[in-house]
PDB file of all heavy atoms in Angstrom:
ATOM      1  N   LEU A  25      13.576 -22.326 -16.223  1.00 97.00           N
ATOM      2  CA  LEU A  25      14.058 -23.703 -16.170  1.00 97.00           C
ATOM      3  C   LEU A  25      14.538 -24.132 -17.552  1.00 97.00           C
ATOM      4  O   LEU A  25      13.883 -23.865 -18.562  1.00 97.00           O
ATOM      5  CB  LEU A  25      12.954 -24.650 -15.701  1.00 97.00           C
ATOM      6  CG  LEU A  25      12.631 -24.646 -14.208  1.00 97.00           C
ATOM      7  CD1 LEU A  25      11.510 -25.620 -13.914  1.00 97.00           C
ATOM      8  CD2 LEU A  25      13.862 -24.983 -13.374  1.00 97.00           C
ATOM      9  N   HIS A  26      15.660 -24.797 -17.579  1.00 97.00           N
ATOM     10  CA  HIS A  26      16.178 -25.378 -18.805  1.00 97.00           C
ATOM     11  C   HIS A  26      15.594 -26.777 -18.990  1.00 97.00           C
ATOM     12  O   HIS A  26      15.137 -27.418 -18.029  1.00 97.00           O
ATOM     13  CB  HIS A  26      17.701 -25.456 -18.755  1.00 97.00           C
ATOM     14  CG  HIS A  26      18.374 -24.120 -18.718  1.00 97.00           C
ATOM     15  ND1 HIS A  26      18.754 -23.445 -19.856  1.00 97.00           N
ATOM     16  CD2 HIS A  26      18.720 -23.323 -17.673  1.00 97.00           C
ATOM     17  CE1 HIS A  26      19.309 -22.299 -19.529  1.00 97.00           C
ATOM     18  NE2 HIS A  26      19.310 -22.197 -18.209  1.00 97.00           N
ATOM     19  N   VAL A  27      15.619 -27.270 -20.208  1.00 97.00           N
ATOM     20  CA  VAL A  27      15.288 -28.673 -20.439  1.00 97.00           C
ATOM     21  C   VAL A  27      16.331 -29.517 -19.725  1.00 97.00           C
ATOM     22  O   VAL A  27      17.531 -29.294 -19.870  1.00 97.00           O
ATOM     23  CB  VAL A  27      15.274 -28.990 -21.947  1.00 97.00           C
ATOM     24  CG1 VAL A  27      15.164 -30.494 -22.173  1.00 97.00           C
ATOM     25  CG2 VAL A  27      14.130 -28.256 -22.625  1.00 97.00           C
ATOM     26  N   GLY A  28      15.878 -30.451 -18.926  1.00 96.00           N
ATOM     27  CA  GLY A  28      16.805 -31.282 -18.165  1.00 96.00           C
ATOM     28  C   GLY A  28      16.286 -31.504 -16.759  1.00 96.00           C
ATOM     29  O   GLY A  28      15.209 -31.025 -16.370  1.00 96.00           O
ATOM     30  N   ASP A  29      17.047 -32.213 -15.997  1.00 97.00           N
ATOM     31  CA  ASP A  29      16.680 -32.665 -14.663  1.00 97.00           C
ATOM     32  C   ASP A  29      16.501 -31.473 -13.718  1.00 97.00           C
ATOM     33  O   ASP A  29      17.441 -30.710 -13.483  1.00 97.00           O
ATOM     34  CB  ASP A  29      17.775 -33.601 -14.152  1.00 97.00           C
ATOM     35  CG  ASP A  29      17.429 -34.267 -12.843  1.00 97.00           C
ATOM     36  OD1 ASP A  29      16.325 -34.020 -12.302  1.00 97.00           O
ATOM     37  OD2 ASP A  29      18.273 -35.042 -12.350  1.00 97.00           O
ATOM     38  N   ILE A  30      15.297 -31.315 -13.137  1.00 98.00           N
ATOM     39  CA  ILE A  30      15.068 -30.190 -12.226  1.00 98.00           C
ATOM     40  C   ILE A  30      15.729 -30.403 -10.875  1.00 98.00           C
ATOM     41  O   ILE A  30      15.884 -29.450 -10.110  1.00 98.00           O
ATOM     42  CB  ILE A  30      13.566 -29.907 -12.023  1.00 98.00           C
ATOM     43  CG1 ILE A  30      12.882 -31.070 -11.293  1.00 98.00           C
ATOM     44  CG2 ILE A  30      12.894 -29.580 -13.338  1.00 98.00           C
ATOM     45  CD1 ILE A  30      11.499 -30.716 -10.781  1.00 98.00           C
ATOM     46  N   THR A  31      16.137 -31.640 -10.559  1.00 97.00           N
ATOM     47  CA  THR A  31      16.807 -31.862  -9.273  1.00 97.00           C
ATOM     48  C   THR A  31      18.148 -31.148  -9.231  1.00 97.00           C
ATOM     49  O   THR A  31      18.695 -30.931  -8.149  1.00 97.00           O
ATOM     50  CB  THR A  31      17.016 -33.360  -8.988  1.00 97.00           C
ATOM     51  OG1 THR A  31      17.987 -33.903  -9.895  1.00 97.00           O
ATOM     52  CG2 THR A  31      15.716 -34.134  -9.103  1.00 97.00           C
ATOM     53  N   GLU A  32      18.672 -30.773 -10.412  1.00 96.00           N
ATOM     54  CA  GLU A  32      19.937 -30.041 -10.476  1.00 96.00           C
ATOM     55  C   GLU A  32      19.721 -28.553 -10.749  1.00 96.00           C
ATOM     56  O   GLU A  32      20.666 -27.818 -11.021  1.00 96.00           O
ATOM     57  CB  GLU A  32      20.820 -30.651 -11.571  1.00 96.00           C
ATOM     58  CG  GLU A  32      21.170 -32.113 -11.319  1.00 96.00           C
ATOM     59  CD  GLU A  32      21.955 -32.742 -12.453  1.00 96.00           C
ATOM     60  OE1 GLU A  32      22.143 -32.047 -13.480  1.00 96.00           O
ATOM     61  OE2 GLU A  32      22.372 -33.900 -12.323  1.00 96.00           O
ATOM     62  N   GLN A  33      18.446 -28.115 -10.684  1.00 97.00           N
ATOM     63  CA  GLN A  33      18.127 -26.711 -10.959  1.00 97.00           C
ATOM     64  C   GLN A  33      17.406 -26.048  -9.788  1.00 97.00           C
ATOM     65  O   GLN A  33      16.694 -25.063  -9.970  1.00 97.00           O
ATOM     66  CB  GLN A  33      17.270 -26.605 -12.222  1.00 97.00           C
ATOM     67  CG  GLN A  33      17.936 -27.150 -13.476  1.00 97.00           C
ATOM     68  CD  GLN A  33      17.072 -26.949 -14.706  1.00 97.00           C
ATOM     69  OE1 GLN A  33      16.795 -25.828 -15.135  1.00 97.00           O
ATOM     70  NE2 GLN A  33      16.623 -28.060 -15.304  1.00 97.00           N
ATOM     71  N   GLY A  34      17.597 -26.579  -8.596  1.00 96.00           N
ATOM     72  CA  GLY A  34      17.001 -25.970  -7.417  1.00 96.00           C
ATOM     73  C   GLY A  34      15.823 -26.709  -6.844  1.00 96.00           C
ATOM     74  O   GLY A  34      15.235 -26.266  -5.849  1.00 96.00           O
ATOM     75  N   PHE A  35      15.460 -27.873  -7.440  1.00 98.00           N
ATOM     76  CA  PHE A  35      14.275 -28.598  -6.987  1.00 98.00           C
ATOM     77  C   PHE A  35      14.568 -30.090  -6.789  1.00 98.00           C
ATOM     78  O   PHE A  35      13.907 -30.946  -7.376  1.00 98.00           O
ATOM     79  CB  PHE A  35      13.137 -28.411  -7.994  1.00 98.00           C
ATOM     80  CG  PHE A  35      12.802 -26.969  -8.245  1.00 98.00           C
ATOM     81  CD1 PHE A  35      13.286 -26.318  -9.374  1.00 98.00           C
ATOM     82  CD2 PHE A  35      12.030 -26.258  -7.347  1.00 98.00           C
ATOM     83  CE1 PHE A  35      12.995 -24.984  -9.600  1.00 98.00           C
ATOM     84  CE2 PHE A  35      11.731 -24.917  -7.570  1.00 98.00           C
ATOM     85  CZ  PHE A  35      12.218 -24.274  -8.692  1.00 98.00           C
ATOM     86  N   PRO A  36      15.546 -30.440  -5.951  1.00 97.00           N
ATOM     87  CA  PRO A  36      15.877 -31.859  -5.792  1.00 97.00           C
ATOM     88  C   PRO A  36      14.776 -32.674  -5.126  1.00 97.00           C
ATOM     89  O   PRO A  36      14.657 -33.875  -5.384  1.00 97.00           O
ATOM     90  CB  PRO A  36      17.141 -31.825  -4.930  1.00 97.00           C
ATOM     91  CG  PRO A  36      17.087 -30.517  -4.208  1.00 97.00           C
ATOM     92  CD  PRO A  36      16.432 -29.575  -5.163  1.00 97.00           C
ATOM     93  N   PHE A  37      13.962 -32.038  -4.286  1.00 98.00           N
ATOM     94  CA  PHE A  37      12.972 -32.786  -3.510  1.00 98.00           C
ATOM     95  C   PHE A  37      11.532 -32.440  -3.878  1.00 98.00           C
ATOM     96  O   PHE A  37      10.602 -32.975  -3.283  1.00 98.00           O
ATOM     97  CB  PHE A  37      13.170 -32.520  -2.013  1.00 98.00           C
ATOM     98  CG  PHE A  37      14.576 -32.744  -1.522  1.00 98.00           C
ATOM     99  CD1 PHE A  37      15.325 -31.689  -1.024  1.00 98.00           C
ATOM    100  CD2 PHE A  37      15.159 -34.001  -1.563  1.00 98.00           C
ATOM    101  CE1 PHE A  37      16.617 -31.888  -0.568  1.00 98.00           C
ATOM    102  CE2 PHE A  37      16.456 -34.211  -1.123  1.00 98.00           C
ATOM    103  CZ  PHE A  37      17.196 -33.145  -0.621  1.00 98.00           C
ATOM    104  N   TYR A  38      11.342 -31.565  -4.840  1.00 98.00           N
ATOM    105  CA  TYR A  38       9.985 -31.110  -5.171  1.00 98.00           C
ATOM    106  C   TYR A  38       9.186 -32.245  -5.795  1.00 98.00           C
ATOM    107  O   TYR A  38       9.677 -32.966  -6.665  1.00 98.00           O
ATOM    108  CB  TYR A  38      10.046 -29.920  -6.128  1.00 98.00           C
ATOM    109  CG  TYR A  38       8.696 -29.344  -6.464  1.00 98.00           C
ATOM    110  CD1 TYR A  38       7.961 -28.658  -5.506  1.00 98.00           C
ATOM    111  CD2 TYR A  38       8.149 -29.494  -7.734  1.00 98.00           C
ATOM    112  CE1 TYR A  38       6.714 -28.126  -5.808  1.00 98.00           C
ATOM    113  CE2 TYR A  38       6.913 -28.960  -8.045  1.00 98.00           C
ATOM    114  CZ  TYR A  38       6.198 -28.284  -7.082  1.00 98.00           C
ATOM    115  OH  TYR A  38       4.953 -27.770  -7.387  1.00 98.00           O
ATOM    116  N   GLY A  39       7.913 -32.389  -5.364  1.00 97.00           N
ATOM    117  CA  GLY A  39       7.088 -33.484  -5.864  1.00 97.00           C
ATOM    118  C   GLY A  39       5.703 -33.074  -6.291  1.00 97.00           C
ATOM    119  O   GLY A  39       4.848 -33.926  -6.507  1.00 97.00           O
ATOM    120  N   GLY A  40       5.440 -31.774  -6.415  1.00 97.00           N
ATOM    121  CA  GLY A  40       4.132 -31.322  -6.893  1.00 97.00           C
ATOM    122  C   GLY A  40       4.118 -31.184  -8.404  1.00 97.00           C
ATOM    123  O   GLY A  40       4.978 -31.699  -9.111  1.00 97.00           O
ATOM    124  N   SER A  41       3.133 -30.458  -8.918  1.00 97.00           N
ATOM    125  CA  SER A  41       3.067 -30.201 -10.355  1.00 97.00           C
ATOM    126  C   SER A  41       3.941 -29.008 -10.708  1.00 97.00           C
ATOM    127  O   SER A  41       4.105 -28.081  -9.917  1.00 97.00           O
ATOM    128  CB  SER A  41       1.629 -29.932 -10.794  1.00 97.00           C
ATOM    129  OG  SER A  41       0.843 -31.097 -10.685  1.00 97.00           O
ATOM    130  N   LEU A  42       4.474 -29.048 -11.921  1.00 97.00           N
ATOM    131  CA  LEU A  42       5.366 -28.012 -12.421  1.00 97.00           C
ATOM    132  C   LEU A  42       4.928 -27.675 -13.841  1.00 97.00           C
ATOM    133  O   LEU A  42       4.855 -28.563 -14.693  1.00 97.00           O
ATOM    134  CB  LEU A  42       6.805 -28.534 -12.411  1.00 97.00           C
ATOM    135  CG  LEU A  42       7.869 -27.772 -13.171  1.00 97.00           C
ATOM    136  CD1 LEU A  42       8.102 -26.412 -12.542  1.00 97.00           C
ATOM    137  CD2 LEU A  42       9.167 -28.573 -13.201  1.00 97.00           C
ATOM    138  N   THR A  43       4.596 -26.402 -14.101  1.00 97.00           N
ATOM    139  CA  THR A  43       4.073 -26.013 -15.408  1.00 97.00           C
ATOM    140  C   THR A  43       5.094 -25.178 -16.168  1.00 97.00           C
ATOM    141  O   THR A  43       5.512 -24.118 -15.700  1.00 97.00           O
ATOM    142  CB  THR A  43       2.768 -25.210 -15.259  1.00 97.00           C
ATOM    143  OG1 THR A  43       1.797 -26.027 -14.585  1.00 97.00           O
ATOM    144  CG2 THR A  43       2.222 -24.814 -16.624  1.00 97.00           C
ATOM    145  N   TYR A  44       5.489 -25.667 -17.339  1.00 97.00           N
ATOM    146  CA  TYR A  44       6.392 -24.953 -18.233  1.00 97.00           C
ATOM    147  C   TYR A  44       5.554 -24.128 -19.213  1.00 97.00           C
ATOM    148  O   TYR A  44       4.578 -24.636 -19.789  1.00 97.00           O
ATOM    149  CB  TYR A  44       7.256 -25.914 -19.048  1.00 97.00           C
ATOM    150  CG  TYR A  44       8.203 -26.788 -18.265  1.00 97.00           C
ATOM    151  CD1 TYR A  44       7.753 -27.929 -17.600  1.00 97.00           C
ATOM    152  CD2 TYR A  44       9.567 -26.500 -18.222  1.00 97.00           C
ATOM    153  CE1 TYR A  44       8.633 -28.752 -16.906  1.00 97.00           C
ATOM    154  CE2 TYR A  44      10.454 -27.321 -17.540  1.00 97.00           C
ATOM    155  CZ  TYR A  44       9.977 -28.446 -16.877  1.00 97.00           C
ATOM    156  OH  TYR A  44      10.851 -29.262 -16.201  1.00 97.00           O
ATOM    157  N   ALA A  45       5.938 -22.866 -19.441  1.00 97.00           N
ATOM    158  CA  ALA A  45       5.278 -22.017 -20.443  1.00 97.00           C
ATOM    159  C   ALA A  45       6.088 -22.087 -21.732  1.00 97.00           C
ATOM    160  O   ALA A  45       7.231 -21.629 -21.787  1.00 97.00           O
ATOM    161  CB  ALA A  45       5.189 -20.585 -19.944  1.00 97.00           C
ATOM    162  N   VAL A  46       5.495 -22.680 -22.767  1.00 96.00           N
ATOM    163  CA  VAL A  46       6.205 -22.918 -24.032  1.00 96.00           C
ATOM    164  C   VAL A  46       5.597 -22.025 -25.112  1.00 96.00           C
ATOM    165  O   VAL A  46       4.447 -22.234 -25.514  1.00 96.00           O
ATOM    166  CB  VAL A  46       6.102 -24.398 -24.450  1.00 96.00           C
ATOM    167  CG1 VAL A  46       6.873 -24.643 -25.738  1.00 96.00           C
ATOM    168  CG2 VAL A  46       6.619 -25.307 -23.331  1.00 96.00           C
ATOM    169  N   PRO A  47       6.337 -21.030 -25.605  1.00 94.00           N
ATOM    170  CA  PRO A  47       5.794 -20.154 -26.656  1.00 94.00           C
ATOM    171  C   PRO A  47       5.533 -20.942 -27.940  1.00 94.00           C
ATOM    172  O   PRO A  47       6.315 -21.809 -28.323  1.00 94.00           O
ATOM    173  CB  PRO A  47       6.894 -19.107 -26.861  1.00 94.00           C
ATOM    174  CG  PRO A  47       7.774 -19.205 -25.655  1.00 94.00           C
ATOM    175  CD  PRO A  47       7.693 -20.627 -25.198  1.00 94.00           C
ATOM    176  N   LEU A  48       4.433 -20.604 -28.611  1.00 92.00           N
ATOM    177  CA  LEU A  48       4.135 -21.242 -29.891  1.00 92.00           C
ATOM    178  C   LEU A  48       4.965 -20.612 -30.997  1.00 92.00           C
ATOM    179  O   LEU A  48       5.120 -19.386 -31.047  1.00 92.00           O
ATOM    180  CB  LEU A  48       2.659 -21.070 -30.241  1.00 92.00           C
ATOM    181  CG  LEU A  48       1.662 -22.094 -29.740  1.00 92.00           C
ATOM    182  CD1 LEU A  48       0.286 -21.766 -30.281  1.00 92.00           C
ATOM    183  CD2 LEU A  48       2.058 -23.496 -30.147  1.00 92.00           C
ATOM    184  N   PRO A  49       5.499 -21.406 -31.910  1.00 90.00           N
ATOM    185  CA  PRO A  49       6.152 -20.826 -33.091  1.00 90.00           C
ATOM    186  C   PRO A  49       5.145 -19.992 -33.870  1.00 90.00           C
ATOM    187  O   PRO A  49       3.976 -20.383 -34.002  1.00 90.00           O
ATOM    188  CB  PRO A  49       6.610 -22.053 -33.884  1.00 90.00           C
ATOM    189  CG  PRO A  49       6.661 -23.165 -32.876  1.00 90.00           C
ATOM    190  CD  PRO A  49       5.584 -22.876 -31.893  1.00 90.00           C
ATOM    191  N   PRO A  50       5.546 -18.853 -34.421  1.00 89.00           N
ATOM    192  CA  PRO A  50       4.597 -17.995 -35.155  1.00 89.00           C
ATOM    193  C   PRO A  50       3.854 -18.737 -36.261  1.00 89.00           C
ATOM    194  O   PRO A  50       2.669 -18.472 -36.501  1.00 89.00           O
ATOM    195  CB  PRO A  50       5.497 -16.889 -35.715  1.00 89.00           C
ATOM    196  CG  PRO A  50       6.654 -16.830 -34.761  1.00 89.00           C
ATOM    197  CD  PRO A  50       6.886 -18.243 -34.322  1.00 89.00           C
ATOM    198  N   LEU A  51       4.519 -19.658 -36.933  1.00 87.00           N
ATOM    199  CA  LEU A  51       3.868 -20.368 -38.035  1.00 87.00           C
ATOM    200  C   LEU A  51       2.756 -21.301 -37.557  1.00 87.00           C
ATOM    201  O   LEU A  51       1.928 -21.751 -38.355  1.00 87.00           O
ATOM    202  CB  LEU A  51       4.909 -21.174 -38.825  1.00 87.00           C
ATOM    203  CG  LEU A  51       5.907 -20.363 -39.649  1.00 87.00           C
ATOM    204  CD1 LEU A  51       6.952 -21.282 -40.281  1.00 87.00           C
ATOM    205  CD2 LEU A  51       5.179 -19.572 -40.745  1.00 87.00           C
ATOM    206  N   ALA A  52       2.734 -21.604 -36.267  1.00 86.00           N
ATOM    207  CA  ALA A  52       1.721 -22.523 -35.745  1.00 86.00           C
ATOM    208  C   ALA A  52       0.410 -21.822 -35.422  1.00 86.00           C
ATOM    209  O   ALA A  52      -0.621 -22.479 -35.267  1.00 86.00           O
ATOM    210  CB  ALA A  52       2.253 -23.218 -34.492  1.00 86.00           C
ATOM    211  N   GLU A  53       0.415 -20.512 -35.314  1.00 82.00           N
ATOM    212  CA  GLU A  53      -0.793 -19.775 -34.938  1.00 82.00           C
ATOM    213  C   GLU A  53      -1.872 -19.937 -36.002  1.00 82.00           C
ATOM    214  O   GLU A  53      -1.604 -19.865 -37.202  1.00 82.00           O
ATOM    215  CB  GLU A  53      -0.450 -18.311 -34.710  1.00 82.00           C
ATOM    216  CG  GLU A  53       0.478 -18.087 -33.517  1.00 82.00           C
ATOM    217  CD  GLU A  53       0.744 -16.621 -33.258  1.00 82.00           C
ATOM    218  OE1 GLU A  53      -0.001 -15.792 -33.798  1.00 82.00           O
ATOM    219  OE2 GLU A  53       1.703 -16.321 -32.522  1.00 82.00           O
ATOM    220  N   GLY A  54      -3.097 -20.190 -35.541  1.00 82.00           N
ATOM    221  CA  GLY A  54      -4.225 -20.367 -36.454  1.00 82.00           C
ATOM    222  C   GLY A  54      -4.329 -21.746 -37.044  1.00 82.00           C
ATOM    223  O   GLY A  54      -5.193 -21.989 -37.890  1.00 82.00           O
TER     224      GLY A  54
END
């Protein structure tokens, strides 16, 4: 999924929870 409206990415009617996996920048570790 791209950042932006999910109704235009295949989910116009979806109403449950949606979890995005966001990688941490290497400098943020620790």
Side-chain angles (χ1 to χ4, degrees):
L25 284 179
H26 295 270
V27 170
D29 187 0
I30 66 166
T31 69
E32 299 176 355
Q33 300 183 65
F35 304 100
F37 308 116
Y38 183 70
S41 292
L42 166 66
T43 300
Y44 297 79
V46 182
L48 272 184
L51 290 175
E53 295 183 15

